[in-house]
Every structure is written in C-alpha cells, then in structure tokens.
Amino acid sequence: MFAGSLILAVTLMVFAAWLQFNEQRGWGDEDDCKTDLDKQYHKRRSRSRRRTNLMVGICGLLILIAAFVGPGPVWIAAWLCVLLCMVTVIGLAALDVLRTHRYQNAKMQKLMNQRDR
C-alpha cells in the first residue's frame, strides 16, 4: 500500500504541475486573445484552472502524507480530504464546461452578427 500511495501521490503532483505549465505557456491549438470577450474568458479560465491544479497537487501531497503516516486517524483524515478535494475538482470541471459553452455561444453569436452586417 505504501508503494501504491507513493506512485499515486507523485503522479498527481507531476500531473498538476504539467497542467499548470501548459496553462501558463498556452496550449498548441489556442489562438491569441483578440477581443475583450476572449481576454475575459481566458482570464477567468486561467484563474479557475490554477485553483483546480492546486487542488490536484494538494491531493497528491495529502496522499504522500497518508503514505508516510500509515493507518490511523491522520491517514483517514488525509484520505477524506482527498475525497472532498476530488469531488470539488469534478464540480469545478463541470463549471468550466459551462463557462466554455457560454463563451463559445457568445463568440458564435458575435461572429454571426458580424457576418450579417
């Protein structure tokens, strides 16, 4: 169980760091922010994803602590915090989907209005 916890903890921390690195550097298929709508969306998305990546990294740290502490009250508390953090991450991901959907609808509406002029 110790080795599995170590592998999971390191994997989560490296994954969170990689996601944050890519978010700061920009993903390959992203275009530049051209309009105020784009800038506002990317600012909100970056802030939200920074929080999400931090929570994933904290989960990795909590798993690492639980691995070294071993079974007991601290182990249970650490894993319960991991559970709550992961449920929160899923909720934040759902909100990110809604934010992206609203942004794309607004962008399409703006493009259609420009086309009709």
Side-chain angles (χ1 to χ4, degrees), residues 14-74:
V14 169
F15 185 64
W18 176 75
L19 284 174
Q20 186 59 32
F21 172 75
N22 280 328
E23 186 62 35
Q24 287 176 347
R25 189 176 52 107
W27 295 91
D29 60 346
E30 282 183 344
D31 55 346
D32 293 331
C33 300
K34 296 178 178 139
T35 65
D36 289 336
L37 180 66
D38 295 335
K39 290 176 185 174
Q40 182 182 18
Y41 166 72
H42 285 286
K43 182 180 176 184
R44 287 181 178 170
R45 184 189 75 178
S46 293
R47 187 177 32 206
S48 174
R49 289 186 180 176
R50 186 178 321 117
R51 287 185 204 130
T52 302
N53 296 338
L54 180 65
M55 289 183 75
V56 172
I58 288 171
C59 286
L61 184 64
L62 286 169
I63 293 170
L64 190 66
I65 290 169
F68 280 106
V69 170
V74 175

Side-chain angles (χ1 to χ4, degrees), residues 99-115:
R99 180 188 309 111
T100 301
H101 181 69
R102 284 194 321 253
Y103 161 72
Q104 289 182 349
N105 281 342
K107 184 87 171 173
M108 289 300 291
Q109 187 67 28
K110 185 176 180 181
L111 290 172
M112 291 172 117
N113 288 341
Q114 286 177 353
R115 184 192 68 177

